[in-house]
Structures are given as structure tokens and as C-alpha cells.
Amino acid sequence: MEKWADSSETARPRRPQLDEIEAARTRLAAYMHRTPLVQLDLRLPDRRIFLKLETLSPIGAFKLRPALNALLSRDIKTLCSGVATASSGNMAYGMAWAAHRLGVPMAAYMYSGAPRAKIDGVRRLGGDVRFISTETWWRYIVEAERPELDELLINPVTDQAVLSGNGIIGLEIVEDLPEIDVVVTPFGGGSLTTGVASAVKALRPQAMIVAAEDESAAPVTAALAAGNIVEIETKPSFVKSIGGPSLVPQLWPVVSELIDGAVAVSLDQITDAMRLLFSKAKVVAEGAGAASLAVALASDQIKGNVVCVISGGNIDAATYSQVLAGTIPDP
């Protein structure tokens, strides 16, 4: 396998430190505002639910922070040939937005089953969408293979600047709600959970970090039960941004030390949460984004002040209309 385009790509990821996360926030300040933390008034006896609305970022998802930080923290000379990433959707969208603002060519390696809203978003911003199979996409994510290209390829999961960019979310959560008891994050590759948990645990060590998964593909739950990474069978699901056949081995040692558990919820529970977000808060969330709320409502172990990271709202209109109509969309 070829070496990455710069030496930082070959380093094993580590837990980002607070000063790195603060530096990332300063770097991004000119490009985006903090996202709000709002209470979802459900009047539950044992928990208060708060929503960290990453749906209100300029691209409608949390991935703008890691994408921007990944580009802004590089020497501009390394970006001259352009940038690329492998993504199921939101990271590609975030990278396209960041590259467009910086005047840098951008390419996204996506599988054809990615939500149309995300594919179209990349193209609107001038990104070159290159379709690959889901198997090839996964090999790019876990760094088992890489495309032959001149662009700087930024791994959406293991890149250190990606992790620090995601840490900004954790900083904002603790600043807005210092007495936080539990933070629930959707778990895809693990970069969101790692970044958020790094900041939260540094500032509020007693807070629990819980990974939210879809029962159709729940590798964290399986790994915690087995005590190591395992390969699992996955089922097709309309929830595209979380879950996978396994975990990213480079990141798992880091994230496994930060999380306090994982909960896998059903598609019924996820779509219920999507409808609840719309009816109670007028928030449009994709399946992965609503998974954190589904977990917060389903688990008896989650109590007190609970923050659910609503990671994104980029869902195709036809799919969302099926959810609002009370059905589970086809994969």
C-alpha cells in the first residue's frame, strides 16, 4: 500500500488534547458558528433530554467541523493538487464545502447507495463524485487499500485533525451544560464519539459516553461483548451513516477507553425518534442523527442530564416522508 500524501496520515490516531481542540475551534471560528443545545421537553421523571443540533451547521451535519479542521490545519502547499475523502455522505459534503471555501479541488469516493441529498450537495459545491462499491469504500476507511490519485486523501475516521475538529462539539456541550451526566453519540466510524468524548471526559470526567447503534449493524455492541473487534453480519437499512461490518482497528483502542457503553436500537425506535424530533422540536434528522435520541429513551441506564448529539439532517425527501407517514423506508 502506498504511503499517504503527508506524514501525519501514517500516524496512529490518538485522543486529542484540550489545547488541540481549542486550537481547532479558533481555526474554524471564521467559518461557522457554534450549534445550539436545546432541551426537549418530554417531562420524564428520571432524565432531562437535551439536543445538540448539528443539523444546524451550514451543511446540515457535524462533518463540517472535521472537514474544515483537516484542511485548515494543513500547509496550503499540500492542498495544491486537491483533496479527497471516502464517505457515506456527510464527510464528503463537509469536505466539498470546506474545499469550495478554500478554492481547492475536491473529490469524494462514495457508494452509489449514499443518500441523494448528500451526493447532490457535493456536486453543487463543485466536488467530483467517484462511485465505488461498499466493500472498496470500507477498505479505504480502514486503510487496507487506497485509490491511486494525486490529491491529499483525508481519512474521515482516523485523521488526527478530524478528531480534534469533532472535539469542538464536546467543548460546546460542557460549556452550555456543565452538569452533564450522559452524552449519547451516533457511532459510525467512531471519529465523532472519539472527539466528543475526549473533550467531555477532560472537562467532566464523571460523565458517561454512550455509543448509539442501529441493530442492523452494531459492531460496537458486538466488540464490547466479545472483548475485541469482531466481524458481524449486517442487514440492509435506510440508516446509512452508522454501523458497519466491523470497527476501524486503528481507532478502536482510543475510543474503547473513552466510552462507557453502547446501545443498539431497532429501526422502529429510530423512526419513532425521528417523528418525535419533528413533532416536539421541529427538527429534521436523518436516521443516524435520531439514533442518539432513540437510545436515550430506550435505555434504563441513562438518567440525569442527557445530551443527544443529533448528528445530521441530510435525508432524502421521499425517505423522510415515509418516516413521517409512520413506515420504515426501504434500504
Side-chain angles (χ1 to χ4, degrees):
M1 184 179 72
E2 292 185 28
K3 290 186 179 294
W4 299 102
D6 69 351
S7 60
S8 65
E9 299 290 347
T10 62
R12 188 167 290 274
R14 54 176 174 75
R15 176 177 178 172
Q17 301 301 303
L18 271 181
D19 61 343
E20 295 173 297
I21 298 170
E22 289 281 13
R25 176 158 65 175
T26 300
R27 207 174 279 127
L28 270 58
Y31 296 88
M32 65 176 292
H33 300 295
R34 69 190 293 133
T35 54
L37 185 72
V38 301
Q39 186 171 359
L40 184 64
D41 187 12
L42 299 179
R43 308 198 179 192
L44 300 172
D46 59 353
R47 66 199 79 180
R48 298 168 67 214
I49 304 291
F50 296 83
L51 310 174
K52 180 61 171 167
L53 295 178
E54 293 301 296
T55 54
L56 296 182
S57 86
I59 65 158
F62 79 96
K63 289 288 191 178
L64 183 55
R65 301 175 195 259
L68 270 169
N69 197 48
L71 298 193
L72 292 172
S73 60
R74 255 89 176 182
D75 187 308
I76 191 65
K77 293 179 182 177
T78 67
L79 306 180
C80 290
S81 297
V83 295
T85 193
S87 171
S88 61
N90 280 328
M91 185 63 173
Y93 199 175
M95 192 69 71
W97 193 98
H100 180 75
R101 286 295 300 269
L102 298 178
V104 174
M106 178 270 176
Y109 290 89
M110 306 174 71
Y111 51 80
S112 58
R116 178 56 54 182
K118 301 175 184 181
I119 295 171
D120 291 345
V122 173
R123 286 176 168 160
R124 277 196 306 272
L125 291 163
D128 178 17
V129 176
R130 302 168 182 173
F131 289 118
I132 55 178
S133 69
T134 54
E135 292 78 15
T136 300
W137 168 80
W138 181 249
R139 290 198 297 271
Y140 289 175
I141 296 294
V142 298
E143 301 179 7
E145 184 179 329
R146 63 157 292 164
E148 298 292 333
L149 79 175
D150 294 325
E151 298 104 332
L152 170 66
L153 183 63
I154 294 176
N155 190 293
V157 177
T158 61
D159 185 89
Q160 196 63 42
V162 163
L163 300 179
S164 298
N166 285 328
I168 301 168
I169 301 169
L171 279 184
E172 293 179 359
I173 288 172
V174 179
E175 288 170 353
D176 289 342
L177 188 66
E179 299 302 314
I180 182 71
D181 295 303
V182 184
V183 178
V184 187
T185 65
F187 196 101
S191 69
L192 172 62
T193 302
T194 301
V196 171
S198 295
V200 171
K201 290 286 190 181
L203 297 169
R204 175 89 171 161
Q206 65 269 46
M208 288 178 57
I209 306 294
V210 178
E213 296 192 286
D214 166 12
E215 284 181 352
S216 304
V220 181
T221 302
L224 292 177
N228 54 266
I229 295 177
V230 295
E231 295 280 338
I232 63 169
E233 289 190 20
T234 64
K235 298 177 182 178
S237 166
F238 83 96
V239 181
K240 302 297 185 183
S241 300
I242 55 176
S246 185
L247 295 168
V248 178
Q250 296 90 335
L251 191 61
W252 180 243
V254 181
V255 70
S256 62
E257 292 183 353
L258 289 166
I259 63 173
D260 298 284
V263 177
V265 285
S266 68
L267 294 180
D268 280 323
Q269 290 170 310
I270 289 173
T271 51
D272 283 347
M274 293 170 71
R275 288 186 285 270
L276 184 63
L277 284 167
F278 181 77
S279 63
K280 287 285 189 179
K282 298 299 178 280
V283 169
V284 175
E286 58 194 86
S292 56
L293 176 60
V295 165
L297 296 174
S299 175
D300 293 335
Q301 305 304 311
I302 294 176
K303 302 180 188 302
N305 290 327
V306 182
V307 170
C308 301
V309 179
I310 310 300
S311 57
N314 293 317
I315 183 170
D316 294 343
T319 301
Y320 193 59
S321 65
Q322 292 179 59
V323 172
L324 294 184
T327 63
I328 296 175
D330 293 330

